[in-house]
Amino acid sequence: MSRRGSSNGRQARQRRTPQPSGLRKGLAIVAAAAAGAGFVGLGSTSAGASTSADQRVDFTLTVLHTNDDESQLLGVDGDTNGNGTIEPDEVKAYGGAARYAALWDRLRFQALVGRPSPSTKGTAVTDGSTFWGGKRGVLSLSGGDNYLAGPEFSASLERGIPFYDALAIKRLGLDASGIGNHEFDFGPDVYADFIAGFGGSLPFVSANLDVSGEPKLKAYADKKIIRSSTVVSETGEQIGVIGLTTPELPTVSSPRGVKVLDDLAGIANAEAAQLTKKGINKIILVSHLQDIDNELALVPRLRNVDAVLGAGGGEILADPGVPLVPGDKAERGYPLWATDADGQKVPVATTTGNYKYVGQLVLRFDRRGRLLSADDEQSKPVRVSGAGADAVTKDSWTRKNVEEPVAAHVASLAGAVVAQSEVSLDGVRGNVRSRETNLGNLLADALRWAGAQKAAEYGVPAPVVGIQNGGGIRNDAVIPAGKVTVLDTYDVAPFSNFVVVVPQVPRETLRQLLERGIAATPSAAGAFTQVSGLSFTYDVTKQAQVVNETTGEIITPGARVQNIVLDDGTVVVENGQVVDGPAISVATNDFSARGGDAYPLKGLDFTPVGTTYQKALEDYLTEGLSGKVIAADYPEGGEGRIKSIS
């Protein structure tokens, strides 16, 4: 689910152009391919091989799966009224690492013995259904994005190894974990620290990542802890698990020396062929491709893969009648189905993440390892509830060792006031990714201010422009007028992005940077630019910039930006034409400076100035603004820094 850009998919996701890997993105493209490629059953779980009298079930495999839990260790709210209002007794009524661990154990017990555990109550685990015959086994998997920067993860960074997130995941007793994009948000070294918390007990799988350029990760690869695939033995059966990671990794995270290969089908098929030669006839693909439609588009090119678990997209898949967290709505059924290159039907499943649901995919195989079907009744997401008939009592170990210390850490952040604001500050996701907002202005100003404060110390010119990508503003809410706390700044700016100064940005590059920001307008996109030190106008009827999402290369320059004027009156673009003049010093975050969100800054020299963008915001509020956000300086709706003239 996208670090600092539009890749995090819990809400509407930006559709992108086809990649060299052959992934076809977007539901319309997938639907159009259905007739020729064999996609079936996109709206229900009824598609799948039926079990007839001459197809005896030899092995029932329950795959318990999770993905994109993203440090939501303390649980989530539930909107029981469906009106967007959270009642006081609903707060954190769903999810949470401790409830999740307890439910996971219940589901594992039921899958192995064919009946609910003695401690089971309500309908969360059993609804009167029966499992099919033959041997039973359980496979426990994560699709990756096991942590995400923010106030809860900051507790892990303060604690050190083992991270609280590692403790929570380890408690589930996983057989393998995929590798997502958020694993690299803090760079490869922090990911290595996360892996260290497992003491070598958990394999991390991705067949299309080359970690040899990062010493700490290479050490884990040498020990086969990071690997292309793994084999899990269950009741005498061997199950292969292959991993894939999004080819967009370099533009949505900070993998540094980690290389990502984009021939996904070729790589997965080669790995599956090797497993098959070893006699392994049950193979699961854990695929972190940022959108379940990408997995659906990949399946027609696969061979020897029995089921696919997607991750990164945040979709809610569930059949009618399956209990969901209040406010959640199913997009399609669970699982989805697609037909592979050999004409075999393959179930494709995912969960929305945040410790809200345990995915339960029940697969039935014959004695030759052929997938007969998925159990329509038992295959579903099981919500993690703390109230009502399906309530889950928290796992006491996880509550004591994870939730309680993390809650104490977060509470300490919530009590530290850094400013008083005269005006509500708009950080709603769709707004900061599509238009100027006063919170976007505030954060862009904070970057420029921090760059200026640190310029002499780091030997760079004071920046005259500040750029903050909308996807890096993460609170997805309006901060009411009144107190602004340290916790608010973490919610707004949760990533480990460091403020950098790019001292020499050519004027045409600055123009194309802003073109990148408004390329998707009027649709929302994480690449949208919130700006400081300049104002600009754009015409949405003009040519939008087109880029290669994997490499960031500009395929077609944009022509939407019509005018750019610096705060000192310097004209950079007039009537759509760049005005000759010196390069411009820009403050931004290091993710953007490295070409994240396909910003055209990759390759330009930049200097980090020793502070994160969260700390820049905190310090700007306390020092730069002397603890006061004035309505006249940051009016609701912005002050006209960004204007559409079409």
Side-chain angles (χ1 to χ4, degrees):
M1 289 177 122
S2 165
R3 106 161 161 156
R4 306 138 182 165
S6 58
S7 56
N8 192 312
R10 284 195 293 266
Q11 301 186 29
R13 291 167 297 283
Q14 178 186 0
R15 303 297 183 186
R16 298 181 173 93
T17 55
Q19 302 298 307
S21 58
L23 294 190
R24 289 158 292 176
K25 303 195 175 187
L27 191 55
I29 297 175
V30 172
F39 290 7
V40 295
L42 298 188
S44 71
T45 61
S46 60
S50 61
T51 303
S52 61
D54 62 348
Q55 291 179 309
R56 180 178 177 181
V57 176
D58 181 69
F59 181 53
T60 296
L61 177 65
T62 298
V63 184
L64 299 181
H65 61 97
T66 186
N67 56 271
D68 303 280
D69 290 316
E70 298 184 349
S71 297
Q72 197 69 53
L73 298 168
L74 302 181
V76 297
D77 302 323
D79 175 17
T80 58
N81 299 318
N83 60 5
T85 301
I86 306 300
E87 303 298 331
D89 61 353
E90 298 177 51
V91 175
K92 308 302 182 188
Y94 298 89
R99 290 191 194 109
Y100 206 85
L103 179 58
W104 194 280
D105 281 347
R106 288 186 183 183
L107 293 172
R108 179 189 285 116
F109 182 93
Q110 173 174 308
L112 289 174
V113 304
R115 59 183 173 82
S117 67
S119 62
T120 298
K121 63 179 180 178
T123 59
V125 177
T126 180
D127 52 13
S129 303
T130 58
F131 284 83
W132 289 72
K135 296 176 292 184
R136 298 186 180 95
V138 176
L139 183 66
S140 300
L141 301 173
S142 169
D145 279 5
N146 291 311
Y147 58 85
L148 179 70
E152 291 179 37
F153 187 60
S154 70
S156 287
L157 293 178
E158 182 177 276
R159 170 195 169 91
I161 302 170
F163 293 168
Y164 290 114
D165 298 85
L167 294 175
I169 293 294
K170 188 175 183 179
R171 186 67 171 171
L172 301 181
L174 297 180
D175 294 303
S177 175
I179 300 176
N181 52 290
H182 285 309
E183 270 76 1
F184 298 96
D185 284 356
F186 289 78
D189 292 340
V190 171
Y191 184 36
D193 289 344
F194 173 76
I195 293 174
F198 294 87
S201 64
L202 179 65
F204 293 82
V205 293
S206 180
N208 68 315
L209 290 187
D210 177 0
V211 301
S212 61
E214 289 294 336
K216 289 186 177 180
L217 295 183
K218 182 180 183 297
Y220 285 120
D222 291 342
K223 296 176 182 177
K224 304 300 183 183
I225 293 172
I226 295 177
R227 53 197 302 167
S228 296
S229 65
T230 191
V231 178
V232 179
S233 295
E234 274 292 298
T235 59
E237 301 289 333
Q238 289 189 310
I239 304 104
V241 180
I242 302 170
L244 290 177
T245 302
T246 174
E248 296 178 5
L249 183 64
T251 61
V252 299
S253 194
S254 296
R256 206 165 60 194
V258 175
K259 297 179 181 178
V260 56
L261 308 176
D262 61 12
D263 181 17
L264 300 183
I267 292 168
N269 286 338
E271 197 69 25
Q274 290 183 12
L275 292 170
T276 301
K277 287 180 180 179
K278 296 177 181 178
I280 298 166
N281 56 18
K282 303 170 189 69
I283 298 175
I284 310 297
L285 174 64
V286 180
S287 174
H288 198 108
L289 300 186
Q290 304 291 72
D291 191 317
I292 199 65
D293 290 328
N294 290 335
E295 275 80 14
L296 289 169
L298 181 63
V299 170
R301 302 177 60 204
L302 297 179
R303 286 185 165 88
N304 299 316
V305 171
D306 294 294
V308 177
L309 300 179
E315 299 89 358
I316 301 174
L317 305 182
D319 291 336
V322 173
L324 300 178
V325 173
D328 284 354
K329 295 181 180 179
E331 300 178 25
R332 284 170 275 177
Y334 178 107
L336 304 174
W337 291 84
T339 302
D340 72 8
D342 294 322
Q344 302 300 310
K345 294 176 181 178
V346 177
V348 180
T350 189
T351 76
T352 190
N354 288 351
Y355 290 104
K356 293 165 67 176
Y357 300 94
V358 175
Q360 180 175 264
L361 181 62
V362 182
L363 305 175
R364 299 193 288 266
F365 295 89
D366 69 10
R367 63 186 179 86
R368 296 180 180 178
R370 294 179 301 182
L371 177 65
L372 300 176
S373 62
D375 187 303
D376 287 342
E377 199 165 7
Q378 290 288 343
S379 294
K380 59 188 174 183
V382 184
R383 74 174 180 182
V384 182
S385 178
D390 62 349
V392 179
T393 301
K394 291 185 175 183
D395 174 66
S396 59
W397 188 94
T398 307
R399 184 185 67 245
K400 178 180 179 180
N401 292 283
V402 176
E403 289 193 359
E404 289 179 1
V406 171
H409 173 82
V410 172
S412 70
L413 302 178
V417 177
V418 293
Q420 294 283 340
S421 179
E422 295 179 350
V423 63
S424 296
L425 300 171
D426 183 5
V428 173
R429 179 186 177 107
N431 294 343
V432 297
R433 295 180 176 216
S434 63
R435 63 184 70 101
E436 175 189 352
T437 78
N438 57 356
L439 182 58
N441 289 346
L442 182 67
L443 185 51
D445 285 350
L447 299 186
R448 184 162 66 102
W449 176 84
Q453 296 296 110
K454 299 279 189 174
E457 179 182 351
Y458 285 88
V460 293
V464 297
V465 169
I467 299 290
Q468 170 62 47
N469 61 315
I473 302 173
R474 304 296 291 197
N475 61 318
D476 193 17
V478 173
I479 302 173
K483 296 178 180 178
V484 180
T485 68
V486 174
L487 183 59
D488 289 327
T489 67
Y490 269 105
D491 287 343
V492 171
F495 300 123
S496 62
N497 292 351
F498 279 78
V499 180
V500 304
V501 174
V502 190
Q504 295 287 320
V505 178
R507 292 185 171 205
E508 175 60 25
T509 301
L510 178 61
R511 189 257 178 85
Q512 290 303 321
L513 192 160
L514 299 180
E515 289 281 0
R516 175 61 178 153
I518 49 91
T521 306
S523 297
F528 187 86
T529 48
Q530 300 289 338
V531 301
S532 173
L534 63 77
S535 60
F536 74 96
T537 63
Y538 67 94
D539 184 348
V540 75
T541 67
K542 303 291 186 181
Q543 172 66 52
Q545 184 189 89
V546 180
V547 301
N548 181 311
E549 294 284 353
T550 299
T551 65
E553 177 187 1
I554 296 175
I555 298 172
T556 304
R560 289 182 165 186
V561 172
Q562 299 300 295
N563 299 283
I564 302 174
V565 181
L566 303 183
D567 283 358
D568 65 3
T570 300
V571 177
V572 178
V573 173
E574 186 173 22
N575 296 325
Q577 300 298 315
V578 173
V579 176
D580 288 340
I584 296 167
S585 180
V586 174
T588 186
N589 57 70
D590 61 329
F591 169 74
S592 297
R594 291 187 174 95
D597 281 324
Y599 278 11
L601 297 175
K602 188 175 182 179
L604 296 181
D605 290 336
F606 65 86
T607 301
V609 294
T611 188
T612 65
Y613 81 140
Q614 176 275 327
K615 186 62 173 172
L617 178 58
E618 180 182 342
D619 289 348
Y620 181 58
L621 288 167
T622 56
E623 301 174 24
L625 299 180
S626 301
K628 297 179 181 178
V629 180
I630 307 300
D633 295 334
Y634 295 98
E636 293 185 12
E639 56 179 315
R641 300 182 187 184
I642 305 172
K643 293 181 179 180
S644 172
I645 58 175
S646 54

